[in-house]
Amino acid sequence: MTTDDIDTLEEHERRLVFDRFGNDDAWALGSLLVGLARERNAAVTVSIRRGSQRLFHCALPGTSADNDAWLDRKCRVVERYGEASFLVGARFRAKGRTFEESSRLDPDRYAAHGGAFPIRLRGTGVVGAVAVSGLAQADDHALVVEALERFLRPA
């Protein structure tokens, strides 16, 4: 990862912020993500959480329980660091280290791989996470960012 790549990931975090986020928003965002995945024939699992409550979950054909485990591990990174799992991993890689070896966190519980993105409320901070598992990590991240950009686009 280059500094430019990290700058782009950080810019996503600054820009993709919610004014509010409720259960109906989770349903709409999750449905949008599932629709995008279906258009691309992408075998992914989608999860949206607010705190410890799962508000949305959908496993498309071709996924397995392993995708659920990846979602849990990536979302724990968002909860702990308050940033996208891909950004956290990128920062470690940019320093020539791996998250697994340098974070001192159990790799069976935490994964700094792309696909989990913070649900950040303006004036409040991170309240949850939206996550995708099933593609290459950069593609998982890109799918979530695309859905957030569409969802947060002014009407």
Side-chain angles (χ1 to χ4, degrees):
M1 280 262 133
T2 68
T3 303
D4 289 343
D5 294 330
I6 291 173
D7 289 346
T8 298
L9 297 174
E10 289 172 343
E11 188 272 330
H12 293 158
E13 303 257 343
R14 286 189 295 275
R15 188 169 44 83
L16 299 172
V17 177
F18 292 80
D19 290 318
R20 63 177 178 78
F21 192 81
N23 294 28
D24 290 338
D25 297 305
W27 176 261
L29 177 58
S31 298
L32 173 61
L33 264 166
V34 169
L36 291 171
R38 286 185 191 277
E39 286 173 11
R40 295 160 193 183
N41 295 313
V44 298
T45 302
V46 176
S47 181
I48 299 177
R49 303 162 189 212
R50 185 180 55 219
S52 61
Q53 183 182 19
R54 184 173 296 161
L55 300 179
F56 183 94
H57 185 86
C58 180
L60 293 176
T63 62
S64 71
D66 285 344
N67 296 104
D68 292 327
W70 274 101
L71 289 169
D72 290 341
R73 293 168 58 218
K74 292 191 251 187
C75 285
R76 282 190 194 101
V77 168
V78 172
E79 291 165 6
R80 183 164 185 118
Y81 288 85
E83 296 177 320
S85 54
F86 197 40
L87 174 58
V88 172
R91 287 192 176 132
F92 278 89
R93 288 187 296 278
K95 294 176 184 173
R97 302 183 308 202
T98 67
F99 175 82
E100 294 76 13
E101 293 173 356
S102 300
S103 69
R104 297 181 166 224
L105 297 172
D106 182 352
D108 289 335
R109 295 189 42 80
Y110 294 87
H113 292 258
F117 198 94
I119 296 170
R120 187 181 317 275
L121 291 182
R122 199 173 321 282
T124 300
V126 177
V127 298
V130 53
V132 168
S133 173
L135 306 172
Q137 65 172 326
D139 296 332
D140 277 347
H141 178 82
L143 184 60
V144 171
V145 168
E146 179 182 349
L148 287 169
E149 287 171 337
R150 288 186 188 197
F151 187 81
L152 292 169
R153 185 178 304 145

